[in-house]
Amino acid sequence: MKFADEFRSAVTPRAALLVIGVLALQLLFIASYVGALHDPKPKDVPFGVVAPAPAAAQQTEQRLARLPGSPLDPRVVADEKTARRQITDRKIDGALVVDPRGSKDTLLVASGGGTVLASGLETLATKVDAAERRTVRVVDVAPASAHDFDGLSAFYLVVGWCVGGYLCASIMSISAGSRPTSPQRAAIRLGAMALVSVVGGIGGSLIIGDTILGALPGSFWGLAGLGALVTFAVGAITLALEELTGIVGIGLAVLLIVVAGNPSAGGAFPLPMLPPFWRAIGPWLPPGAGTWAARSIAYFQGNDVTHSLLVLSAWAVVGIVVTLLVPAVRERGRGGARRGGGGTGSGSTHVGVAS
């Protein structure tokens, strides 16, 4: 009997729901990571074809377009210089430059955007040329750092910033206990989150740069600014989810950032190698936007970061607005209830005096 009473007091409906939520996150984590990463294949990779004769270029383009599984999305490019520029601008991921005078073509790749993808393009081009009794010479237009194994450093850097964002926001909410947040307290949390984000951005850039690890080249302050934005965006949206749903918001943040965001970020395998669903959502979530921007800063002269920065800024703005708005509405509702109760009380007193 005593055990049954203890069991009922320990296993409350709220605790049971939280355990079920954790179990759901566990299964979603497995499904998301294994689903996204268990069978990577290039699909519709933007790819340039360069040949002096238009007919030869179109013929090569059509041959590449007919490859089984549609690994490439080929398009004719005017010349090698244009192909190099488009790779640097991140408009295409590689290009095949056909040599009309010999049997050795040139494959342009950018391992800084993902060494696995660059290797995959080399394998495809080698097979295609071998069928025509030709060979391929590989030129890396934007090579990954020698200390950046498989091009993963940018991804892990962004993961670290994301972890800092949602853990910091979670700690600030948990430390306050069950007290409802006031607008002033919400503003203080956002201010603290901004300070942590700046320090985390600078610290991450310092660690991964030439000063300590030398894993990523690129602008120190560019990466530091990106880190501050990633950390704050994740922290702000976590605070917002906590304002909306309480402690459940921490789980929702994990679902958004870890379960959905990390496997779709293009870290272990670049976006063109992910299944359609993860490829579609990756650029719109903080880990994917941050990873793309970090690689652009490190290896592509900061090109093509506008979309990623806008996505991160949008998450930050939504987080700020919701974090400040929900406590304000809640406090206004409590104030209205108090005024309503006070008015009734005055009326009752007045009636009592009159009687």
Side-chain angles (χ1 to χ4, degrees):
M1 190 69 176
K2 183 178 180 182
F3 174 79
D5 291 339
E6 290 290 337
F7 181 81
R8 280 194 295 271
S9 64
V11 185
T12 62
R14 182 171 182 268
L17 286 174
L18 288 174
V19 170
I20 292 171
V22 170
L23 178 61
L25 278 178
Q26 178 190 56
L27 298 179
L28 285 170
F29 184 97
I30 295 170
S32 180
Y33 277 73
V34 177
L37 307 177
H38 77 288
D39 188 24
K41 296 177 181 177
K43 178 71 174 177
D44 296 327
V45 180
F47 191 78
V49 177
V50 179
Q58 291 174 3
Q59 183 180 8
T60 303
E61 177 192 18
Q62 292 169 5
R63 190 166 71 249
L64 294 175
R66 289 194 298 265
L67 289 173
S70 300
L72 302 178
D73 177 18
R75 70 283 309 267
V76 175
V77 179
D79 50 38
E80 182 176 345
K81 181 179 179 181
T82 303
R84 287 173 175 266
R85 185 174 67 250
Q86 289 190 10
I87 292 173
T88 305
D89 291 342
R90 308 203 75 178
K91 293 179 179 178
I92 59 176
D93 291 308
L96 183 65
V97 182
V98 179
D99 183 1
R101 295 184 298 273
S103 60
K104 179 176 284 190
D105 299 329
T106 300
L107 174 67
L108 305 178
V109 297
S111 61
T115 57
V116 177
L117 179 58
S119 298
L121 292 178
E122 181 179 355
T123 300
L124 284 171
T126 300
K127 287 183 178 180
V128 170
D129 269 17
E132 301 291 326
R133 297 183 179 179
R134 302 178 67 84
T135 57
V136 172
R137 176 178 67 98
V138 180
V139 176
D140 202 338
V141 176
S145 166
H147 303 290
D148 182 13
F149 177 74
D150 270 358
L152 290 172
S153 297
F155 170 62
Y156 286 126
L157 174 65
V158 171
V159 167
W161 284 328
C162 289
V163 169
Y166 66 72
L167 281 184
C168 182
S170 300
I171 289 170
M172 285 193 287
S173 295
I174 292 173
S175 65
S178 59
R179 290 181 298 167
T181 308
S182 66
Q184 294 77 14
R185 191 176 296 123
I188 291 172
R189 288 181 183 177
L190 285 170
M193 193 72 248
L195 180 60
V196 168
S197 299
V198 171
V199 175
I202 294 174
S205 184
L206 186 68
I207 291 170
I208 208 159
D210 292 334
T211 306
I212 299 180
L213 296 180
L216 281 184
S219 167
F220 171 86
W221 290 110
L223 288 173
L226 174 66
L229 181 57
V230 169
T231 306
F232 184 79
V234 172
I237 204 66
T238 302
L239 288 173
L241 290 170
E242 290 167 350
E243 289 295 341
L244 288 170
T245 63
I247 194 172
V248 175
I250 297 175
L252 293 177
V254 172
L255 177 64
L256 180 71
I257 303 301
V258 179
V259 175
N262 285 353
S264 65
F269 302 110
L271 290 176
M273 302 189 74
L274 297 180
F277 173 75
W278 284 269
R279 187 191 313 178
I281 67 172
W284 300 97
L285 297 176
T291 299
W292 181 274
R295 283 176 172 161
S296 290
I297 293 170
Y299 297 118
F300 298 93
Q301 304 170 18
N303 293 325
D304 198 23
V305 297
T306 302
H307 174 270
S308 297
L309 296 181
L310 288 176
V311 167
L312 292 168
S313 299
W315 282 108
V317 169
V318 170
I320 292 171
V321 171
V322 173
T323 301
L324 294 176
L325 186 61
V326 171
V329 171
R330 189 188 300 128
E331 190 168 89
R332 191 177 298 115
R334 287 198 300 267
R338 283 196 298 269
R339 286 193 297 272
T344 303
S346 298
S348 302
T349 303
H350 178 71
V351 171
V353 172
S355 62

